[in-house]
Amino acid sequence: MNLPDMKEAKSRNKEKVEFIYTNPLKSDAFSGKKYFIKTYGCQMNVHDSEEISGLLENIGFERVESELDADIIILNTCAIRENAHDKVFGFLGRCKHLKKDKPDLKLILCGCMAQEKHVVDEIMAKHKYIDLVFGTHNIHEFPNYLMNLGDGLNIEVKSNEGNVYETGETFKRDSKYTAWINIMYGCDKFCTYCIVPYTRGKERSRKSKDILKEVECLKEKGYKEVTLLGQNVNAYGCDSEEEISFAELLEKVAQTGIDRIRFVTSHPWNFTDEMINIIAKYPNIMPYIHLPLQSGSDRILRLMGRRYTKEEYLQLFNKIKSTIPNAAVTTDIIVGFPNETDEDFEETLSVVEECKYDGAFTFIYSPREGTPAAKMDDKIALSVKEDRLHRLNEIVNKYSNLNNQKYLGKTVKVLLVGNSEKDDSKLYGYTETMKLVNVICDKSLIGEIVDVKITEAKSFSLDGIVEK
Ligand code: SF4
């Protein structure tokens, strides 16, 4: 595998500025006002919503769980899939009618879709009832935009992604036990099907000392688990001459002594031997790795701009499995990339058969406007793509089930994080390998890491009882 051109990336990002953002508004500026926030897409967006919630609650807003009770409705959007676009505008269309009875209601769209020029053009042409649109690079300025909101449509989208803002303790985290920590922003990989480098900008790493401070602070507050987040999390440090590598950062986070550390999402190209050794060395770095494959065909991987071959991916996979034997590995796979042949698809199936993943997120390719792949002529019928997805899912589910069966009768450590949605007598939590477990136990154990004996293994979850 070719090594990343660190030198080139570092000089490109020299202009990076990092500073602490302090909100100048008073804590009661919006006292009594209510906000509703709806989040689409990945963990990065979920975490951005935690930041938005924190910013709003710092100036007096209270969160409500229904848009009907809100004074402002915020949609934090995702640009990865076409149907996310339809869902967002469908929801906004329904909210528009609420304005008839509540003329002061504000509708706000933010997140990745706001960074897409064609979406902003569409809003200006057809959705002028929206009050504010802001992008992914200026979330921290949201309170000021609200304070100074003019009549009609206000658009505050910035393309300058050079700055990394440290908003400190302003997050309103969804959980008291597990926390997301953004360690870097953006992506420089430019996979040909992906909109992220255009909506999230180039790679910018946070300072490691700030990340470590955040981990220490969360540990002190009683958090059991942190997940280090980045679109391309293991490219951490590549953009900065002063910064340490991702493997070094992982080691330092492990040395804080926090119970559990996870990270998403890794790119195989940036996955180093040093990382594998550090994960194997520290028991508090969880043996769970999400390693996107996307395709098993070298021809398609080249067209996708993924920077590795099937052979290189398998070498990496086998190195991970031989060094960390208890590791669970999951993946992402796209079927039906433009002109994917039966032979290309069979190559993908052969990797799935070889890796026997613990799970996979599988998708039919959908073109995203503005990406190189969207311009590729595609002659493969949708029915063929649907058939491939169906065949792939059958194999993925088979291995997911077989991997889960290995847990039957074993005792594993589970961090209990909440009430089971389907059965009120149970709590749910996750094993070190990220298996979902439903457990019959006392509610007082929420937030604890407990020994659980697995009594039933299903395709997508486990059942268990707490061992005394
Ligand atoms: S690595 Fe590729 S797929 Fe992942 S965010 Fe970057 S461009 Fe998108």
Side-chain angles (χ1 to χ4, degrees):
M1 215 176 296
N2 296 325
L3 283 173
D5 187 349
M6 306 264 286
K7 230 174 152 187
E8 196 250 352
K10 282 176 181 183
S11 67
R12 197 156 18 113
N13 286 282
K14 265 203 177 128
E15 74 278 18
K16 184 178 72 145
V17 184
E18 189 158 3
F19 60 89
I20 306 283
Y21 176 77
T22 34
N23 174 19
L25 297 183
K26 288 196 184 137
S27 61
D28 60 353
F30 288 89
S31 184
K33 295 281 179 194
K34 313 249 183 331
Y35 76 97
F36 170 81
I37 186 162
K38 194 170 174 68
T39 309
Y40 298 83
C42 67
Q43 297 312 334
M44 195 70 82
N45 270 17
V46 172
H47 191 42
D48 283 351
S49 287
E50 289 184 336
E51 180 174 4
I52 291 166
S53 299
L55 289 167
L56 289 175
E57 291 184 25
N58 273 358
I59 53 171
F61 274 98
E62 286 167 36
R63 185 170 183 159
V64 289
E65 297 308 321
S66 164
E67 67 275 16
L68 302 177
D69 300 326
D71 298 298
I72 64 170
I73 296 174
I74 305 137
L75 273 75
N76 188 8
T77 62
C78 167
I80 299 276
R81 275 168 222 300
E82 187 63 30
N83 67 356
H85 170 280
D86 299 342
K87 279 184 194 166
V88 165
F89 284 104
F91 188 79
L92 276 169
R94 292 194 294 279
C95 293
K96 177 183 165 187
H97 297 294
L98 301 176
K99 283 191 156 193
K100 283 189 194 134
D101 296 328
K102 233 183 192 182
D104 290 338
L105 175 69
K106 303 291 178 215
L107 300 182
I108 296 157
L109 184 145
C110 61
C112 291
M113 268 171 57
Q115 294 295 146
E116 293 186 288
K117 187 181 172 304
H118 70 96
V119 172
V120 175
D121 289 345
E122 182 185 339
I123 289 171
M124 290 198 295
K126 296 193 214 157
H127 305 283
K128 287 210 173 112
Y129 56 88
I130 297 174
D131 297 279
L132 170 64
V133 178
F134 67 91
T136 55
H137 305 306
N138 47 345
I139 291 173
H140 57 286
E141 292 183 74
F142 179 30
N144 291 326
Y145 297 148
L146 268 184
M147 194 56 138
N148 300 305
L149 207 57
D151 288 341
L153 173 61
N154 296 258
I155 295 188
E156 298 285 355
V157 178
K158 295 193 175 167
S159 62
N160 171 15
E161 68 280 83
N163 297 339
V164 175
Y165 297 97
E166 295 292 343
T167 46
E169 283 306 287
T170 56
F171 292 103
K172 173 73 183 159
R173 296 185 188 274
D174 288 342
S175 165
K176 290 189 207 124
Y177 322 109
T178 62
W180 307 104
I181 300 184
N182 248 329
I183 65 163
M184 64 179 301
Y185 303 87
C187 180
D188 284 353
K189 294 291 183 292
F190 288 94
C191 300
T192 57
Y193 54 85
C194 182
I195 196 75
V196 166
Y198 308 94
T199 58
R200 292 273 172 176
K202 64 189 177 184
E203 289 171 1
R204 291 103 66 208
S205 301
R206 284 179 64 197
K207 287 182 180 162
S208 52
K209 71 172 176 43
D210 293 329
I211 297 167
L212 292 167
K213 207 160 81 190
E214 197 170 333
V215 176
E216 293 282 6
C217 177
L218 289 164
K219 187 177 158 226
E220 256 171 48
K221 285 182 178 166
Y223 279 82
K224 296 281 188 335
E225 180 177 297
V226 293
T227 301
L228 309 181
L229 269 185
Q231 300 290 354
N232 202 346
V233 75
N234 52 342
Y236 177 83
C238 292
D239 59 304
S240 162
E241 270 166 3
E242 298 93 52
E243 269 318 331
I244 55 180
S245 69
F246 182 66
E248 289 167 314
L249 179 71
L250 259 187
E251 179 157 44
K252 283 184 187 291
V253 175
Q255 286 166 349
T256 64
I258 191 142
D259 291 289
R260 288 180 161 204
I261 301 151
R262 301 189 187 279
F263 55 92
V264 280
T265 292
S266 302
H267 192 296
W269 195 62
N270 288 105
F271 218 107
T272 61
D273 288 357
E274 197 189 358
M275 265 179 79
I276 300 175
N277 294 333
I278 297 284
I279 298 165
K281 182 174 167 190
Y282 289 92
N284 57 344
I285 304 178
M286 296 297 97
Y288 164 71
I289 291 160
H290 186 68
L291 196 67
L293 167 69
Q294 308 303 10
S295 170
S297 153
D298 286 345
R299 189 182 76 83
I300 297 291
L301 285 170
R302 227 176 9 257
L303 286 172
M304 287 177 164
R306 287 294 290 175
R307 307 179 183 206
Y308 52 82
T309 62
K310 170 184 173 180
E311 189 57 35
E312 287 167 335
Y313 181 94
L314 287 173
Q315 270 173 16
L316 172 62
F317 181 92
N318 290 327
K319 208 183 286 176
I320 291 170
K321 280 288 191 175
S322 59
T323 317
I324 318 163
N326 59 336
V329 182
T330 56
T331 197
D332 295 331
I333 298 172
I334 296 170
V335 299
F337 191 76
N339 301 314
E340 179 191 63
T341 62
D342 284 340
E343 292 72 30
D344 292 322
F345 178 63
E346 291 300 330
E347 293 281 329
T348 300
L349 293 187
S350 75
V351 178
V352 176
E353 289 285 1
E354 188 165 344
C355 294
K356 303 177 176 50
Y357 294 107
D358 284 79
F361 297 97
T362 56
F363 312 94
I364 290 182
Y365 166 77
S366 77
R368 302 308 298 130
E369 196 173 322
T371 60
K375 296 192 192 96
M376 294 178 191
D377 194 24
D378 185 14
K379 303 209 164 27
I380 310 292
L382 180 62
S383 58
V384 173
K385 297 179 182 189
E386 285 171 344
D387 181 57
R388 287 179 189 162
L389 183 68
H390 180 70
R391 285 178 60 202
L392 173 64
N393 283 343
E394 280 192 340
I395 300 173
V396 164
N397 294 347
K398 175 181 82 177
Y399 286 115
S400 171
N401 191 310
L402 285 174
N403 281 309
N404 280 1
Q405 295 303 327
K406 292 180 198 157
Y407 286 74
L408 204 53
K410 289 198 176 142
T411 298
V412 288
K413 297 227 171 284
V414 175
L415 170 56
L416 296 167
V417 288
N419 293 307
S420 165
E421 274 180 20
K422 288 188 187 146
D423 184 343
D424 199 38
S425 69
K426 293 180 179 172
L427 297 181
Y428 79 95
Y430 292 92
T431 66
E432 296 188 335
T433 50
M434 203 64 187
K435 301 280 178 194
L436 171 64
V437 192
N438 290 299
V439 188
I440 299 174
C441 65
D442 196 282
K443 306 264 175 197
S444 64
L445 290 175
I446 291 187
E448 299 294 323
I449 296 173
V450 294
D451 286 329
V452 171
K453 184 165 183 179
I454 302 302
T455 52
E456 191 176 350
K458 303 168 189 164
S459 290
F460 305 109
S461 67
L462 305 168
D463 283 348
I465 49 170
V466 174
E467 288 236 304
K468 297 279 182 284

